[in-house]
Amino acid sequence: MIDVQHWLSALPPGVVYLLVAGVIGVESMGVPLPGEIVLVSSALLAATGVVEPEWVASAAAFGAIAGDSVGYAIGRRGGRPLLARLGRRFPKHLGPAQLARAEQSFARHGVWAVFFGRFVALLRILAGPLAGALHVPYRRFLLANAAGGLVWAFGTTYLLYSVGRAAEHWLKDISWAGLVLAVLAGLGSTWWLRRRAHRVESADGVSGVEAAEVASGGQSVGAASGGRSVAVASGGKAAVVASGVEPSRAGD
């Protein structure tokens, strides 16, 4: 994402807005493209003053609404055969499993799946074509589509813009403190990961040993690993039994 932001910063602002609208629009038609990455990168770029946040949000909203509408028309015309062809072309993104989950969301939530689907990567790609293929009424689809697109575009843009501005101001004023905190966080996370790995390694070393204890009426049974020995305690007496050997009676 940092590379995308760096690449966008070299473009004129007008080209950035067109790119945001175009990538998000094509993604909303049903083609797996990194629309959200482009939006996030552009919003963070707006925090540096290279582009304007209102234009980034407007471009994203336009691309989302227009792209979903085109995807709806394509899905209504092509139907399920079109979705099947898309699944064969993009099996990792639009395969049978992903399509089944998207259909389940539509069956459970109806047109609200279009609104909330804008915030979910899978539904963001499939909402338009799938709604068209399922013959969702276009007016209801357009209402949910426009609402979801506007909330997603403006909410994401201004949230990241505000966070970016605050982070820039904070780092500029107390950069040394930020550096120290970053170093401490890195050292702490490294220590925690090493300790976690050591515990996992220790657990793997004794993974072949299993223990089970059953208590009932003052009696307990302990089983050692692989069933090699069993200790039976009853009334203060204990007997060790080897595997395959019949246990002796307490009175013997």
Side-chain angles (χ1 to χ4, degrees), residues 29-74:
M29 293 178 192
V31 180
L33 289 181
E36 191 169 37
I37 293 178
V38 172
L39 175 59
V40 170
S41 300
S42 301
L44 293 175
L45 198 63
T48 65
V50 177
V51 292
E52 298 298 329
E54 60 269 20
W55 284 105
V56 171
S58 299
F62 174 79
I65 297 171
D68 268 342
S69 296
V70 174
Y72 175 92
I74 294 174

Side-chain angles (χ1 to χ4, degrees), residues 14 18 24 26 38 44 46 51 57 61 71 99 130 163 178 188 191 198 205 219 223 228-229 238 241 247-248 250:
L18 291 175
I24 293 176
V26 174
V38 172
L44 293 175
V51 292
L99 181 60
L130 189 58
V163 171
W191 173 82
H198 180 71
Q219 296 183 349
R228 294 181 180 178
S229 63
V241 184
S248 59

Side-chain angles (χ1 to χ4, degrees), residues 5 11 24-25 43 53 80 110 114 136 165 189 227 230-231 242:
Q5 185 177 349
L11 300 175
I24 293 176
R80 290 193 60 86
V114 178
V136 175
R165 295 287 290 179
S189 61
V230 178

Side-chain angles (χ1 to χ4, degrees), residues 6-26:
H6 178 72
W7 179 69
L8 289 173
S9 64
L11 300 175
V15 177
V16 174
Y17 305 142
L18 291 175
L19 192 61
V20 170
V23 172
I24 293 176
V26 174

Side-chain angles (χ1 to χ4, degrees), residues 134-228:
L134 296 177
H135 295 279
V136 175
Y138 180 70
R139 289 185 178 180
R140 295 177 59 195
F141 167 80
L142 181 61
L143 179 62
N145 173 34
L150 288 169
V151 172
W152 174 73
F154 279 86
T156 302
T157 299
Y158 277 96
L159 175 63
L160 292 171
Y161 172 77
S162 301
V163 171
R165 295 287 290 179
E168 184 182 8
H169 177 74
W170 183 78
L171 290 175
K172 181 173 62 177
D173 289 346
I174 44 177
S175 56
W176 282 108
L179 178 61
V180 171
L181 288 175
V183 171
L184 290 176
L187 292 175
S189 61
T190 302
W191 173 82
W192 184 84
L193 288 173
R194 286 182 178 178
R195 186 177 181 183
R196 184 82 173 178
H198 180 71
R199 288 182 178 180
V200 172
E201 184 179 358
S202 300
D204 290 341
V206 295
S207 60
V209 180
E210 299 177 358
E213 184 175 341
V214 180
S216 175
Q219 296 183 349
S220 62
V221 178
S225 112
R228 294 181 180 178

